[in-house]
């Protein structure tokens, strides 16, 4: 049983990191960012290629993939996304869907649909604690995900830019009046979201097998977690991620793995109906009518 | 208002671009046209490309040899390939296009049992023969179709050799666990393995289907470990196999036998997992090591070498089965002496050949009943065929080395 | 006065002519085109129907029903299960598919339609996923991940082509007709009021919950009908292919592309996008999805309000120019 809890927690850490950037973009910009899936995928491939071609340890390549996706995210936001953001959620969703199509298929053409994985010498090793196995890599990923989430949380609360992002999330018009340049804040937020996705992707490349569609499965998880935790809430994403990890893990051994996703999505709809702002969320956009 | 006109101009240009793409294809004389809608993008892109390359290899080889002899004329083969995006609706549409627009004489099937299920219905309606080279779920051949031929033996028999090897050990293991992604082909293989395991006297202690897009099976494996399974059989695809091995290692779950379907024989499996792949077993329809041969392709290893020279990678069973599908069609056409569907069908039913893919003969349902899967084990990073004993190249390492 | 009368007559005659041309154009294809093109057009009609159905929620009520494709799946599986397991006649099964999908939406609607905007959108995605998993797990009934085979249409190839062509055409006309009726009814005005201002609408005496539930039920029922027809047409179903969220998002994009909230816009959007992706793919074998992505991005950037807005702008320009000329004459 302890093993089931450990598995759930470790998976939950990755889920949380996947969801943080997605939740941020949604909460601050009111953009449901479908392209998040592609950013995860690109992060994973950057780590894969640095490992494969130059022997870089995947944990060392995380800053590289984050930086690369930060730049890409900034470009996407300032060149296309900011132009249509005034048309609202529906249009931006369609736009990010288009961006996702482009990136995913470009990856498919460039790198083919081959399944790839990074296997550093320490892959698969685990620490035995009283019969419970804790895989080193997954544990490291879990810790690193926590660190990133905490760092990011500090950035939002302690820095001027972070405060500006939060102010924009709460009330873009008021923020604008106080001299915040909304379009820059949006581009920055989106870039940070992409960078966080890249970090998650890099970590995913060490644990799982990757191919151009690898991000899609995690995107659906990000949906659930964001709603579970509350839009734009960083601790919420963390909690949501861990809860989802645990729920899937337990569903596997109780009702059977076939039902585990039905359980999580049932949970999603239930939470929405009962507590639409999520477990730790404030109300940003939309809400109950 | 200028803006509106500009936008319309953009739109019209986009449409024109599309229309320009729809240029008609002109029919040539003395050509046998074969159509294939396979997955080049989407979920099945990898396997779809292997399948296409298998078709292409046969086409190039037969054309280099002067084409197919029909009566006293020689026909070149023209292969028309479309990408079905791993989507049955698209595949059906493209198959219809191949038949009604491109006027193909024969169809080579798509990758996966699920998509073939949909497209073979089109071939059946239009009375065009479909040679399905990578689709072997039993459901496909139970519909009474006349124009569907599958080169692979049924998926249900996939893991038979692994179970047979296990049963023939001096101290055979007893408890078996079987897991499968929720997918037509994989379930068929898993159900087949379950029945056969019970028939051979094993106890199936765990049987689970998991959603096809599952990324994490660690909790499932923990439950299997707790159930005390000594043999772990996994149907499913490359990504499933790699996931199971990695996560079993993380849990230090060491079954005495680990057997896979599609995954273990694909080179990527060994390349990616390295020494963790040691001792893993699999059922396989074909590997270059099996030592079959025919007059057209030569031995299986010659085929593999030529294929690698052409495409830059070692062929898997997908490719070999697809090449052999072409070869069987060629034999049937040459024997029929005509391109007439009914005559070729009769000749396909009469085939009784030994090829580099192994023995082939079709029953009334279109299933290849002569062939069966071989069992192999990964030893020192290479595939070593161990079963049936007649083509065995070594001895089995049992139990599988611990992680 | 007589001039205006004659111009209104001319206009009416012109409309009648357009309608006649359209009707002839709609009936002819299955008689003259190859099996492939009939199939392509049949699938255009199918997407037209789906885009119209989702438009009722997206365009009129302003609810981003991203997971509306769930009802497509429900409809498809209703037809499959009824025909395979209970030997029910196709048309009866089809009717059941529409009714069941509608009921499903009505049931869920009371709870889920309290949510607004993105929250509602995500809830529908959740519903789609959960429904898909449930269908997968009820494998004794649905065949689960193995899929299920629906019996063939009993007639010959040509007959079959006609059947599905006119079936989808009928469903599309039904969807468009329903949309037209809604656009002119109290329901339509209520929904539009709701879209513009939820609180305001409720103050004005619009029974918001009831209107929303009705709209969703209608939208789901239509989607379910199309799903049912699709099941019989394709004759093979697997859960991931009928509960396909990408397909759902695609119909959504079609509705927007044509013009959300208009009557014929979604059909126009569906035709354009499907035809474009069908044609693009012939040219760029490996890159077609990439090109489609580029097209989607361009559309959002340059015609965010859909085609119908372009036509409206154009009409306004022409009108202004004409009146300008009249003034110059006088």
């Amino acid at each position: 049983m302890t093993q089931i809890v450990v598995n759930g927690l470790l998976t939950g850490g990755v889920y949380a990191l996947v969801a943080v950037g997605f939740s941020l973009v949604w909460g601050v910009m009111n953009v449901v960012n479908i392209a998040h899936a592609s950013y995860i995928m690109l992060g994973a491939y950057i780590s894969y290629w640095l490992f494969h071609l130059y022997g870089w340890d995947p944990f060392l390549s995380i800053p590289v993939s984050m930086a690369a996706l930060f730049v890409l995210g900034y470009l996407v936001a300032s060149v296309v996304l900011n132009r249509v953001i005034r048309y609202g959620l529906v249009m931006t969703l369609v736009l990010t869907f288009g961006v996702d199509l482009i990136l995913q298929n470009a990856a498919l053409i460039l790198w083919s649909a081959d399944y790839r994985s990074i296997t550093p010498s320490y892959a698969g090793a685990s620490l035995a604690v009283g019969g419970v196995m804790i895989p080193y890599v997954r544990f490291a990923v879990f810790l690193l995900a926590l660190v990133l989430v905490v760092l990011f949380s500090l950035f939002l609360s302690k820095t001027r830019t972070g405060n500006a992002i939060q102010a924009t999330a709460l009330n873009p018009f008021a923020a604008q009046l106080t001299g915040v340049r909304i379009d820059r804040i949006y581009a920055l937020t989106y870039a940070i979201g992409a960078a966080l996705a890249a970090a998650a992707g890099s970590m995913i490349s060490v644990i799982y097998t990757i191919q151009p569609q690898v991000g899609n499965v995690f995107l659906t998880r990000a949906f659930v977690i964001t709603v579970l935790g509350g839009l734009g809430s960083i601790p919420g994403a963390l909690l949501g991620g861990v809860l989802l990890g645990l729920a899937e893990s337990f569903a596997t051994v109780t009702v059977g793995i076939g039902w585990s996703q039905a359980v999580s999505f049932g949970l999603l709809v239930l939470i929405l109906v009962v507590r639409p702002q999520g477990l730790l969320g404030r109300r940003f956009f939309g809400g109950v009518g | 208002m200028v803006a509106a006109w500009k936008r319309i101009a953009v739109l019209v240009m986009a449409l024109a671009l599309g229309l320009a793409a729809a240029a008609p294809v002109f029919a040539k004389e003395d050509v046998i046209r074969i159509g294939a809608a396979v997955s080049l993008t989407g979920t099945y892109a990898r396997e779809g490309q292997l399948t296409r390359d298998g078709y292409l290899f046969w086409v190039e080889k037969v054309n280099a040899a002067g084409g197919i002899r029909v009566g006293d004329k020689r026909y070149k083969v023209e292969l028309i390939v479309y990408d079905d995006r791993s989507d049955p609706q698209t595949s059906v549409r493209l198959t219809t296009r191949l038949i009604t627009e491109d006027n193909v004489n024969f169809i080579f099937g798509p990758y996966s049992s699920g998509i073939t299920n949909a497209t073979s219905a089109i071939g059946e309606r239009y009375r065009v023969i479909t040679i399905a080279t990578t689709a072997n779920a039993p459901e496909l051949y139970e519909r009474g179709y006349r124009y569907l031929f599958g080169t692979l033996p049924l998926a249900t028999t996939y893991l038979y050799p692994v179970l047979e090897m296990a049963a023939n050990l001096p101290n055979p293991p007893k408890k078996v666990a079987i897991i499968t992604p929720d997918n037509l082909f994989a379930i068929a293989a898993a159900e087949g393995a379950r029945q056969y395991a019970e028939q051979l006297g094993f106890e199936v202690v765990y049987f689970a289907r998991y959603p096809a897009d599952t990324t994490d099976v660690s909790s499932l494996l923990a439950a299997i470990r707790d159930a005390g399974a000594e043999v772990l059989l996994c149907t499913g695809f490359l990504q499933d196999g790699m996931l199971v091995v990695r996560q079993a290692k993380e849990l230090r779950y060491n079954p005495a036998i680990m057997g896979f379907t599609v995954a273990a024989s694909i080179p990527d499996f060994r390349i990616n997992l390295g020494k963790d792949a040691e001792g893993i077993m699999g059922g396989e329809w074909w590997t270059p090591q099996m030592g079959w041969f025919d007059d057209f392709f030569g031995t299986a290893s010659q085929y593999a070498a030529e294929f690698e020279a052409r495409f830059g990678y070692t062929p898997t069973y997908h490719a070999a089965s697809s090449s052999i599908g072409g070869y069987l069609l060629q034999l049937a056409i040459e024997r029929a002496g005509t391109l007439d569907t009914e005559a070729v069908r009769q000749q396909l039913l009469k085939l009784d050949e030994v090829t580099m893919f192994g023995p082939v003969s079709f029953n009334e349902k279109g299933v290849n009943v002569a062939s069966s899967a071989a069992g192999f084990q990964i030893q020192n990073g290479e595939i070593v065929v161990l079963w049936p004993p007649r083509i065995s190249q070594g001895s089995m390492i049992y139990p599988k080395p611990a992680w | 006065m007589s001039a205006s009368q004659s111009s209104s007559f001319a206009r009416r005659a012109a409309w009648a002519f357009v309608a006649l041309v359209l009707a002839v154009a709609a009936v002819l294809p299955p008689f003259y085109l190859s099996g492939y093109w009939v199939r392509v057009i049949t699938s255009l009609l199918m997407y037209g129907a789906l885009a119209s159905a989702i438009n009722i929620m997206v365009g009129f009520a302003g609810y981003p029903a991203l997971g509306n494709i769930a009802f497509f799946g429900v409809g498809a599986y209703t037809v499959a299960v009824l025909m395979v397991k209970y030997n029910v006649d196709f048309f009866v099964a089809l009717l059941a598919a529409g009714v069941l999908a509608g009921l499903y939406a009505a049931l869920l609607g009371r709870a889920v339609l309290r949510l607004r905007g993105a929250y509602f959108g995500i809830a529908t995605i959740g519903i789609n996923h959960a429904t898909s998993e449930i269908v997968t797990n009820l494998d004794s009934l649905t065949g689960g991940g193995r899929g299920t085979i629906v019996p063939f249409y009993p007639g010959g190839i040509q007959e079959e082509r006609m059947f599905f062509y006119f079936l989808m055409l009928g469903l599309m006309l039904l969807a468009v007709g329903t949309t037209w009726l809604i656009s002119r009814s109290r329901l339509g005005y209520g929904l539009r009021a709701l879209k513009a201002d939820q609180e305001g609408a409720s103050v004005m005496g619009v029974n918001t919950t009831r209107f929303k539930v009705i709209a969703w039920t209608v939208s789901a029922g239509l989607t379910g009908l199309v799903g049912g027809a699709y099941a019989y047409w394709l004759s093979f179903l697997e859960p991931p292919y009928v509960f396909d969220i990408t397909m759902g998002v695609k119909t959504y994009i079609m509705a927007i592309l044509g013009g959300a909230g208009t009557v014929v816009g979604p059909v126009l959007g569906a035709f354009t996008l499907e035809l474009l992706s069908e044609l693009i793919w012939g040219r760029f074998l490996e890159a077609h999805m990439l090109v489609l992505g580029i097209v989607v991005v361009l559309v959002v950037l340059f015609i965010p309000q859909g085609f119908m807005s372009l036509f409206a702008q154009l009409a306004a320009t022409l009108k202004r120019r004409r009146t300008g000329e009249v003034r110059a004459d006088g």
Side-chain angles (χ1 to χ4, degrees), chain A residues 84-142:
Chain A
V84 289
I85 211 157
R86 68 201 148 95
Y87 295 119
L89 180 98
V90 169
M91 291 318 277
T92 53
L93 185 139
V94 172
L95 182 82
T96 58
F97 177 76
V99 171
D100 191 51
L101 269 184
I102 296 173
L103 293 176
Q104 233 179 65
N105 287 284
L108 195 62
I109 292 165
L110 283 176
W111 304 316
S112 83
D114 288 6
Y115 291 95
R116 300 164 193 266
S117 73
I118 301 180
T119 22
S121 52
Y122 48 82
S126 44
L127 178 73
V129 185
V132 175
M133 296 296 155
I134 304 175
Y136 288 125
V137 174
R138 304 187 70 186
F139 189 59
V141 164
F142 178 75

Side-chain angles (χ1 to χ4, degrees), chain C residues 265-318:
Chain C
V267 171
L268 227 62
F271 282 21
T272 315
L273 199 66
E274 260 306 272
L275 210 56
L276 214 58
S277 71
E278 190 66 30
L279 296 175
I280 282 169
W281 127 130
R283 185 62 113 205
F284 312 92
L285 195 59
E286 311 240 345
H288 55 247
M289 290 300 269
L290 191 144
V291 176
L292 189 64
I294 294 172
V295 169
V296 168
V297 170
L298 288 179
V299 164
V300 173
L301 284 179
F302 294 106
I303 32 174
Q305 253 115 36
F307 294 150
M308 294 310 275
S309 72
L310 282 188
F311 294 137
Q313 275 184 15
L314 211 62
T317 319
L318 289 177

Side-chain angles (χ1 to χ4, degrees), chain C residues 73-94:
Chain C
V74 168
Y77 267 97
T78 307
V79 163
V81 169
L82 286 179
M83 285 183 75
V84 175
K85 296 271 166 187
Y86 302 100
N87 288 317
V88 174
D89 177 73
F90 168 67
F91 283 103
V92 179
L94 185 66

